[in-house]
Amino acid sequence: QSALTQPASVSGSPGQSITISCTGISSDVGSYKFVSWYQQHPGKAPKLIIHEGTKRPSGVSNRFSGSKSGNTASLTISGLQAEDEADYYCYSHVDSSMFGGGTKLAVL
Amino acid sequence: EVHLVESGGALVQPGGSLRLSCAASGFTFSKYWMAWVRQAPGKGLEWVASINLAGTEEYYVDSVRGRFTVSRDNAKNSLYLQLSSLGVDDTALYYCVRDHDAGYSWAYWGQGTLVSVSS
């Protein structure tokens, strides 16, 4: 598994939807279950928001969703809210464990 | 409620050693993989090491293999990370993390303990 590449930053307006990509995921079908996403607000510990590629832990808003196409996993946040402004990281557990470089989301 | 509390972070000189601890509570510690994840100041997350339920399998990122050792004591509900031959690039906030029930992701995080390597 090569490095996981994320855009450095994305932005959107309240109410809009944004998508954060994570490229470098193994293209093996079964590998998708090893993808997870984390949200980190400044000065806080990261929080798991998507696991096994598409599943939301209990308590996580259904505005967050995960998907995959080829070797790219994606996190979509719909109905953007000011509180969504944070850093987002993908993580994959295939062959070796690694995080993507992180994406800073700005809600304008 | 799951709690992970790290300790042991400190300012150390290059080449020095340190032992981090993580006290776990609120769940059956012996039933979960555990790991350490670090974050250098202003930088992203980096997975450092993982350990299986019994402590018989250890995995490391290449940059720390041979210098860091992860271990656990299921009787004490504790996770450890022994750091040696520390370099300035090891300066980071070190998080203790617990596996998700379904595996493959890190569901619970401590607040971290800061390791600073400087002369």
Side-chain angles (χ1 to χ4, degrees):
Chain A
Q1 179 174 269
S2 59
L4 301 180
T5 302
Q6 298 180 231
S9 64
V10 298
S11 63
S13 300
Q16 288 185 332
S17 295
I18 62 94
T19 297
I20 298 172
S21 60
C22 175
T23 303
I25 305 293
S26 168
S27 58
D28 292 344
V29 172
S31 68
Y32 194 38
K33 67 179 180 180
F34 299 108
V35 175
S36 53
W37 289 89
Y38 302 81
Q39 175 193 60
Q40 186 179 33
H41 287 107
K44 301 293 187 181
K47 173 187 176 183
L48 176 67
I49 56 174
I50 295 289
H51 66 97
E52 295 179 82
T54 61
K55 300 179 180 179
R56 283 186 306 276
S58 174
V60 173
S61 171
N62 59 8
R63 298 186 299 104
F64 294 90
S65 62
S67 62
K68 184 191 178 191
S69 177
N71 72 337
T72 298
S74 297
L75 171 71
T76 297
I77 309 174
S78 58
L80 270 179
Q81 300 179 0
E83 67 204 49
D84 298 331
E85 187 160 289
D87 293 327
Y88 292 85
Y89 296 89
C90 61
Y91 172 83
S92 180
H93 195 61
V94 178
D95 297 329
S96 61
S97 300
M98 65 177 64
F99 287 92
T103 298
K104 184 174 295 294
L105 169 62
V107 180
L108 306 174
Chain B
E1 185 179 0
V2 173
H3 281 289
L4 300 170
V5 180
E6 303 94 336
S7 61
L11 172 63
V12 296
Q13 292 187 337
S17 298
L18 207 56
R19 190 196 198 202
L20 307 183
S21 299
C22 172
S25 61
F27 64 100
T28 305
F29 183 72
S30 60
K31 291 187 176 181
Y32 292 91
W33 282 69
M34 299 292 295
W36 291 94
V37 174
R38 68 184 179 182
Q39 186 168 34
K43 302 297 185 182
L45 302 174
E46 180 181 39
W47 168 80
V48 174
S50 296
I51 188 166
N52 71 338
L53 278 61
T56 56
E57 297 177 28
E58 303 162 26
Y59 301 90
Y60 300 93
V61 66
D62 287 347
S63 61
V64 309
R65 188 175 292 113
R67 300 189 299 121
F68 291 8
T69 302
V70 60
S71 62
R72 64 191 296 164
D73 186 334
N74 288 343
K76 294 183 177 180
N77 292 338
S78 294
L79 177 72
Y80 306 101
L81 186 67
Q82 179 70 44
L83 296 73
S84 61
S85 301
L86 285 163
V88 295
D89 289 346
D90 296 315
T91 293
L93 187 63
Y94 284 73
Y95 291 104
C96 167
V97 298
R98 196 208 86 175
D99 198 10
H100 189 273
D101 288 334
Y104 313 128
S105 59
W106 306 113
Y108 294 95
W109 298 63
Q111 288 305 303
T113 187
L114 183 62
V115 174
S116 295
V117 184
S118 175
S119 55

